[in-house]
Amino acid sequence: MSKHIAIRLPDETYGRLQALAERTGRTATLLYIRQAIETHLEDLGDIYLTQAAMERIRSGESKIISGEEFWRGMDD
């Protein structure tokens, strides 16, 4: 199942999107917007997880270990 979503784009961004769609013969919404979201969704998830990990390190809840310590712990 798929869901619909509506967004507002600045005129310049919308124009660029439409121009690209016309040059390539593709539809803007179906291909480019969906592709952009799917491409960047994983990156955004990684960024948020990294920020959360850094906060745990800053608060002392987690600590940074060396690669050697990491691999030594894998043998346990």
Side-chain angles (χ1 to χ4, degrees):
M1 178 179 278
S2 62
K3 303 290 183 193
H4 286 81
I5 187 168
I7 61 169
R8 291 187 184 272
L9 296 174
D11 290 340
E12 181 183 346
T13 303
Y14 181 79
R16 291 174 59 200
L17 183 62
Q18 291 299 2
L20 180 61
E22 288 173 16
R23 283 194 309 266
T24 61
R26 296 180 175 191
T27 62
T29 53
L30 182 58
L31 297 174
Y32 295 112
I33 295 172
R34 182 185 298 170
Q35 181 181 0
I37 290 170
E38 290 173 355
T39 298
H40 295 288
L41 195 56
E42 186 173 334
D43 293 341
L44 288 173
D46 291 344
I47 289 168
Y48 294 135
L49 290 173
T50 300
Q51 289 172 336
M54 291 301 297
E55 185 55 39
R56 288 193 309 275
I57 291 167
R58 284 188 198 103
S59 72
E61 183 182 338
S62 295
K63 68 175 189 162
I64 297 174
I65 62 171
S66 69
E68 184 178 305
E69 289 176 283
F70 173 80
W71 290 110
R72 196 172 33 234
M74 297 299 285
D75 294 333
D76 295 341

